[in-house]
């Protein structure tokens, strides 16, 4: 818990995933921003203020009713999501991102779907993680700074002992916060899957394998009615999907420390893809798929990164040697003064064969 931060690639995947999801969400709802969060929303700032008095929430969007102020806040949210995705000054931007998500979530809580709840929780948890140490602009800048320090002249004045101790305490505190937040994120996902599965077990519709049939016939969750009718005509598929959904959700917390999770995770991702397509809940499904990435170890991301690097290297015509070009560098050609000693007075000539081929 104190020596080194764990799963840095996984938390970076969470940062990239949720930053991308919220950025896409804001851009997708840009034409409808006034009806959902702006002054023209049916859920007026006055109604939001009455709800805040009961729930204790707050939002930066209710500080003013002017349209220019709302447009500035919306632009701030878009820019913050993009910077969080790229990992620029992640320590500060992660806090701003959490404030933005909480403000937009609280402003019109009845106008969005359930995916916002998980994104809100994850945005808060990610403030305490070192999610910017991998795959980010911060990591790139730190790498360049480390390279410059390696070639720079060492400082003449030694660093005071108390300053080294303070830096060590800061690093240990950041490591503890990161690991604790990582544990909370994993526990949150386990509780979500476990409670959802246990609630389904209590229902008779899931017990007889017909729950998905009724879901497919709800007009509120039928973005593609023809596709829903087509799937509903396969009763065996409906029953298998119903039982498999309950089994995966209940068993998920118990398979995390075994290799079975590499089978369960793709099945859960497929389930969420089906929810996104058939029920029209892409934000919720995307939030769940990104949350599942926290359970993949760093060696998996390292293997994935090496595979992608090899793929792009093969596809790069500049990096790959051509058939006409030699694969080894051309040796340096001898100069006239190398073969005539009189041209170089005072220096003997090396007569070793092939001496010029290895500079």
């Amino acid at each position: 818990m104190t020596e080194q931060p764990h799963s840095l690639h996984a938390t970076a995947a969470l940062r990239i995933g949720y930053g991308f999801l919220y950025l896409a969400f804001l851009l997708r709802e840009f034409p409808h921003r006034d009806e959902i969060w702006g002054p023209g929303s049916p859920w007026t700032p006055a109604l939001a203020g009455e709800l805040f008095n009961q729930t204790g929430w707050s939002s930066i969007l209710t500080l003013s009713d002017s349209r220019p102020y709302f447009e500035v806040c919306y632009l701030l949210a878009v820019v913050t999501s993009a910077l969080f995705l790229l990992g620029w000054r992640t320590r500060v931007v992660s806090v701003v991102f959490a404030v933005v998500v909480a403000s937009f979530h609280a402003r019109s809580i009845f106008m969005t779907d359930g995916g916002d709840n998980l994104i809100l929780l994850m945005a808060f948890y990610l403030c305490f993680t070192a999610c910017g140490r991998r795959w980010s602009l911060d990591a790139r800048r730190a790498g360049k700074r480390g390279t410059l320090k390696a070639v720079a002249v060492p400082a003449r004045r030694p660093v005071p002992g108390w300053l080294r101790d303070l830096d060590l305490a800061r690093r240990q505190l950041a490591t503890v916060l990161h690991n604790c937040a990582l544990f909370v994120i994993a526990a949150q996902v386990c509780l979500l899957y476990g409670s959802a599965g246990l609630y389904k077990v209590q229902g008779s519709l899931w017990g007889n394998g017909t729950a998905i049939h009724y879901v497919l016939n709800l007009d509120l969750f039928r973005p593609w009615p023809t596709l829903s009718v087509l799937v509903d005509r396969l009763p065996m598929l409906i029953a298998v999907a119903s039982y498999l959904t309950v089994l995966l959700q209940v068993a998920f917390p118990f398979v995390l420390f075994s290799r079975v999770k590499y089978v369960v995770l793709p099945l859960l991702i497929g389930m969420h893809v089906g929810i996104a397509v058939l029920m029209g809940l892409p934000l919720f499904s995307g939030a769940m798929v990104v949350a599942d990435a926290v359970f993949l170890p760093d060696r998996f991301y390292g293997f994935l990164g090496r595979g992608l690097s090899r793929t792009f290297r093969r596809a790069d015509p500049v990096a790959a040697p051509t058939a006409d070009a030699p694969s080894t560098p051309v040796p340096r050609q001898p100069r006239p003064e190398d073969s005539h000693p009189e041209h170089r007075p005072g220096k003997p000539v090396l007569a070793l064969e092939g001496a010029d081929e290895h500079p």
Side-chain angles (χ1 to χ4, degrees):
M1 294 295 291
T2 61
E3 301 223 350
Q4 63 179 359
H6 299 283
S7 300
L8 290 175
H9 289 88
T11 52
L14 293 181
R15 186 202 79 240
I16 295 172
Y18 288 119
F20 173 77
L21 279 177
Y22 214 74
L23 177 62
F25 175 59
L26 293 175
L27 295 178
R28 167 63 180 83
E29 301 299 342
F30 183 79
H32 316 287
R33 63 191 184 282
D34 186 46
E35 291 81 1
I36 300 178
W37 300 288
S41 173
W43 188 256
T44 61
L47 293 175
E50 293 182 7
L51 183 62
F52 293 163
N53 294 332
Q54 302 175 14
T55 60
W57 283 80
S58 61
S59 174
I60 60 174
L61 298 176
T62 58
L63 298 179
S64 176
D65 295 340
S66 65
R67 188 171 299 277
Y69 174 77
F70 169 72
E71 298 296 342
V72 170
C73 290
Y74 204 89
L75 179 61
L76 172 65
V78 172
V79 173
T80 301
S81 301
L83 294 179
F84 186 67
L85 165 65
L86 297 175
W88 183 81
R89 306 292 180 184
T90 315
R91 287 293 185 187
V92 178
V93 173
S94 61
V95 178
V96 180
F97 180 74
V99 173
V100 166
V101 173
S103 297
F104 277 76
H105 177 80
R107 171 61 182 88
S108 296
I109 194 171
F110 301 112
M111 300 289 288
T112 53
D113 57 54
D116 294 340
N117 295 326
L118 185 60
I119 295 180
L120 174 63
L121 292 173
M122 292 300 176
F124 176 72
Y125 297 151
L126 288 174
C127 293
F128 301 94
T129 65
C131 58
R133 295 191 184 180
R134 296 291 186 272
W135 300 335
S136 65
L137 296 178
D138 290 344
R140 184 178 182 182
R141 183 173 60 253
K144 291 183 177 180
R145 189 184 302 119
T147 304
L148 293 176
K149 287 183 179 180
V151 300
V153 178
R156 296 182 179 179
R157 295 182 179 179
V159 180
W162 65 269
L163 192 58
R164 288 198 301 267
D165 294 340
L166 183 62
D167 183 68
L168 179 61
R170 180 188 64 83
R171 292 175 181 273
Q172 288 184 345
L173 178 61
T175 301
V176 171
L177 289 176
H178 170 85
N179 291 331
C180 289
L182 186 66
F183 174 78
V184 172
I185 290 174
Q188 179 71 64
V189 180
C190 290
L191 288 173
L192 195 152
Y193 277 122
S195 60
L198 293 177
Y199 272 113
K200 289 181 175 64
V201 170
Q202 300 175 14
S204 59
L205 298 180
W206 290 98
N208 56 31
T210 59
I212 297 182
H213 160 73
Y214 294 100
V215 172
L216 293 174
N217 286 275
L218 292 175
D219 293 335
L220 186 61
F221 299 105
R222 296 182 72 180
W224 316 101
T226 305
L227 182 60
S228 299
V229 171
L230 181 62
V231 175
D232 194 35
R233 291 178 181 176
L234 304 173
M236 184 58 66
L237 178 63
I238 296 296
V240 171
S242 299
Y243 290 128
L244 188 61
T245 299
V246 178
L247 177 62
L248 291 176
Q249 291 183 343
V250 174
F252 181 79
F254 303 100
V255 301
L256 294 179
F257 302 100
S258 65
R259 295 183 181 275
V260 183
K261 69 179 180 181
Y262 295 109
V263 179
V264 173
L265 286 175
L267 292 176
L268 285 174
I269 292 175
M271 180 188 73
H272 292 307
V273 171
I275 292 175
V277 175
L278 294 176
M279 298 182 62
L281 297 174
L283 186 63
F284 168 76
S285 299
M288 292 302 304
V289 170
V290 173
D292 294 339
V294 75
F295 299 103
L296 297 175
D298 279 349
R299 62 179 180 273
F300 171 82
Y301 291 105
F303 172 78
L304 184 63
R306 289 190 297 270
L308 292 176
S309 299
R310 286 194 297 266
T311 302
F312 287 121
R313 194 179 299 117
R314 292 195 194 100
D316 189 0
V318 177
T322 59
D324 298 331
S327 58
T328 58
V330 179
R332 183 169 60 88
Q333 300 300 320
R335 293 174 298 180
E337 56 267 24
D338 293 336
S339 57
H340 298 283
E342 63 271 18
H343 291 170
R344 300 180 64 187
K347 293 186 179 180
V349 178
L350 294 178
L352 295 177
E353 183 180 359
D356 291 334
E357 296 182 4
H358 302 282

